């Protein structure tokens, strides 16, 4: 065989191998990046869930509600109502301000329910504030509350990451065919 033809055949074979390797490599890298993103989102949800449970054991201080208002704009259609509470408290002589009522999503529903909840947080009213001893700027009014959706988010993230890690492993071991 002529050296030029041999070189062309080798180049064609190399090009084909590169395209196959390239598709597999791109698939593996994208799967791993997607798994990392989902893992980070799951980590955030898990951290919030753990803080929600831990907050029941945090030290308590007396704070004061600065303002409480019912706002329209939560929910899927943005036609539900939520309560926004601003409160202040002090720890070791330092003043802090927060709006976190609970670690879960909080109330988002009918206007009547939001108004009823806002009556619990009348401006000027003394409230019990649960303060994170490791970070006094992190506080909550309703401690220990964890939403079912928080558990669901963590579970779905975990299962998704496992699935996204299995796909590249199957591609690398040849059990999953990847091509352009």
């Amino acid at each position: 065989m002529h050296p030029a033809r041999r070189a062309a055949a080798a180049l064609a074979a190399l090009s084909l191998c590169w395209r196959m390797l390239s598709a597999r490599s791109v698939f593996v890298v994208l799967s791993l990046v997607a798994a990392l993103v989902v893992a980070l989102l799951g980590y955030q949800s898990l951290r919030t869930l753990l803080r929600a449970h831990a907050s029941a054991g945090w030290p308590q201080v007396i704070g004061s509600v600065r303002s409480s208002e019912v706002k329209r704009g939560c929910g899927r259609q943005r036609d539900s109502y939520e309560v926004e509470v601003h409160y202040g408290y002090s720890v070791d002589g330092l003043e802090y301000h927060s709006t976190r009522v609970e670690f879960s999503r909080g109330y988002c529903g009918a206007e009547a329910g939001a108004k009823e909840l806002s009556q619990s947080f009348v401006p000027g009213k003394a409230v019990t504030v649960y303060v994170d001893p490791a970070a006094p700027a992190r506080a909550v009014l309703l401690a220990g509350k964890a939403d079912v959706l928080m558990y669901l988010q963590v579970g779905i993230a975990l299962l998704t990451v496992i699935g996204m890690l299995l796909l590249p492993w199957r591609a690398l071991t040849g059990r999953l065919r990847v091509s352009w």
Side-chain angles (χ1 to χ4, degrees):
M1 186 187 282
H2 193 273
R5 279 193 174 162
R6 200 176 331 182
L11 188 59
L14 183 63
S15 175
L16 178 64
C17 288
W18 176 250
R19 281 197 315 243
M20 290 179 69
L21 175 68
S22 194
R24 184 177 293 158
S25 298
V26 168
F27 178 76
V28 168
V29 168
L30 288 178
S31 294
L32 292 175
V33 168
L36 179 65
V37 169
V38 173
L40 289 174
L41 293 173
Y43 172 74
Q44 290 286 27
S45 295
L46 178 62
R47 194 169 69 166
T48 301
L49 181 65
L50 293 175
R51 280 188 183 145
H53 286 293
S55 66
W58 288 352
Q60 301 170 25
V61 298
I62 300 299
S64 176
V65 175
R66 303 281 161 87
S67 67
S68 174
E69 66 178 298
V70 174
K71 288 188 163 188
R72 183 178 181 171
C74 65
R76 187 169 288 186
Q77 268 70 33
R78 297 283 193 214
D79 59 353
S80 295
Y81 295 84
E82 62 187 339
V83 179
E84 185 175 286
V85 179
H86 293 266
Y87 58 94
Y89 59 97
S90 65
V91 175
D92 295 331
L94 295 173
E95 288 289 321
Y96 295 95
H97 303 278
S98 183
T99 59
R100 181 179 293 120
V101 175
E102 57 188 306
F103 279 102
S104 65
R105 292 180 309 131
Y107 181 84
C108 179
E111 184 177 14
K115 284 183 178 180
E116 183 180 328
L117 181 61
S118 73
Q119 294 305 311
S120 303
F121 303 110
V122 177
K125 180 180 178 185
V127 290
T128 300
V129 181
Y130 295 82
V131 180
D132 184 346
R138 184 179 304 125
V140 65
L141 295 178
L142 303 176
K145 287 190 76 174
D147 196 339
V148 172
L149 288 176
M150 293 169 76
Y151 290 101
L152 194 59
Q153 286 174 333
V154 171
I156 288 173
L158 179 64
L159 292 174
T160 302
V161 167
I162 290 170
M164 291 177 138
L165 292 176
L166 285 175
L167 284 175
W169 175 74
R170 288 181 56 116
L172 288 172
T173 58
R175 295 183 184 150
L176 180 68
R177 189 168 176 186
V178 181
S179 63
W180 293 111

